[in-house]
Amino acid sequence: MSALIETRALARRDERRQAVLLQPTDFALHRGDRVSITGASGSGKSVFLRALALLDAPTSGQVLWNHRPIANADIPEYRSRICYLSQRPALIDGTVLDNLRFPFSLKSLRKRHFELATVTALLQHAGKSPDFLAKNASDLSGGESQVVALIRSLQLNPEVLLLDEPTAALDPASSRDVEALIDAWFADDPTRAYVWVSHDLEQAQRMSDIHLHMSAGVLSGATQA
């Protein structure tokens, strides 16, 4: 099966501290993959995910998308198809609706259009009514902010989600809302895939079929969860 994303000897080094953050890593994410990565804090999990998202430039190696290196001109399209969600999402001032409309103001997405029906359906999966759209972003709880950030990505119909401990700071109910959204997104199209970095081994096993482990910048495992 062809890989959606592939890394070849991808590595990162902190030159200032002369520290290796990510050892040369070969990795492939295929359609239908649900991958989790666990490991201690500072082991390189987030370093690897941010490199996959093209948020931090690797020291060496490369990321391939559909078997091709990613040119600078392709990065905006890549980031709309390969969506990264951090532990602490950044929202703009305004309402929930303002935040969900915001991506379509970006140059790379101006040919696409906001669809209220899509957003309303996603809100329903997270147990939110349409009235939630009118809430001010500054009044949202951490869990509500994460739901908004996730829906902001899911409405773009991404091929891949890169989830960097998205529920680590959330209460159990909010964590379930996030998990339900991701389950619904994945079930809707079996060609999608995600990588979920988690500090919670039970969650990692529950939300993945392939469990990898990161230690001292080395990614290993590739066992069926």
Side-chain angles (χ1 to χ4, degrees):
M1 186 183 298
S2 62
L4 279 167
I5 306 175
E6 186 178 358
T7 70
R8 294 180 180 172
L10 191 72
R12 278 211 71 216
R13 181 180 177 85
D14 184 336
E15 298 295 348
R16 183 175 58 83
R17 294 189 295 127
Q18 292 295 298
V20 175
L21 305 178
L22 179 67
Q23 298 283 356
T25 300
D26 294 333
F27 170 79
L29 183 73
H30 302 93
R31 297 185 185 279
D33 281 354
R34 301 190 314 148
V35 177
S36 64
I37 303 175
T38 58
S41 296
S43 62
K45 304 185 303 296
S46 293
V47 172
F48 176 63
L49 211 64
R50 288 180 61 84
L52 275 185
L54 302 185
L55 295 175
D56 296 328
T59 305
S60 58
Q62 61 182 170
V63 179
L64 304 180
W65 179 30
N66 295 319
H67 304 291
R68 297 193 306 272
I70 304 160
N72 287 339
D74 297 330
I75 290 177
E77 176 69 11
Y78 178 85
R79 287 179 176 160
S80 73
R81 299 295 180 188
I82 314 297
C83 289
Y84 172 87
L85 187 70
S86 67
Q87 183 177 333
R88 293 180 176 83
L91 301 182
I92 64 170
D93 292 336
T95 65
V96 169
L97 182 59
D98 292 332
N99 274 271
L100 297 180
R101 286 185 177 276
F102 173 72
F104 301 97
S105 68
L106 302 176
K107 182 178 180 181
S108 61
L109 294 173
R110 283 179 183 164
K111 293 182 179 179
R112 300 173 67 177
H113 303 284
F114 174 78
E115 295 181 4
L116 182 60
T118 297
V119 163
T120 302
L122 289 168
L123 284 172
Q124 187 174 12
H125 285 302
K128 308 295 183 188
S129 71
D131 294 345
F132 184 69
L133 293 169
K135 291 193 70 169
N136 196 291
S138 62
D139 295 331
L140 300 179
S141 67
E144 289 172 332
S145 295
Q146 192 65 290
V147 164
V148 172
L150 181 54
I151 290 176
R152 189 170 57 187
S153 292
L154 295 182
Q155 69 178 337
L156 301 178
N157 192 29
E159 297 177 356
V160 173
L161 289 179
L162 302 175
L163 304 158
D164 195 355
E165 302 203 43
T167 64
L170 305 186
D171 59 74
S174 297
S175 294
R176 287 194 294 272
D177 289 343
V178 169
E179 289 184 9
L181 266 173
I182 293 168
D183 277 338
W185 166 81
F186 185 80
D188 192 51
D189 185 344
T191 69
R192 292 167 172 164
Y194 63 74
V195 181
W196 190 314
V197 165
S198 179
H199 69 288
D200 183 339
L201 184 57
E202 287 186 9
Q203 181 186 65
Q205 292 173 332
R206 182 171 64 250
M207 297 298 296
S208 70
D209 304 307
I210 300 168
H211 179 210
L212 308 179
H213 184 75
M214 183 74 81
S215 179
V218 176
L219 184 65
S220 60
T223 57
Q224 297 298 311

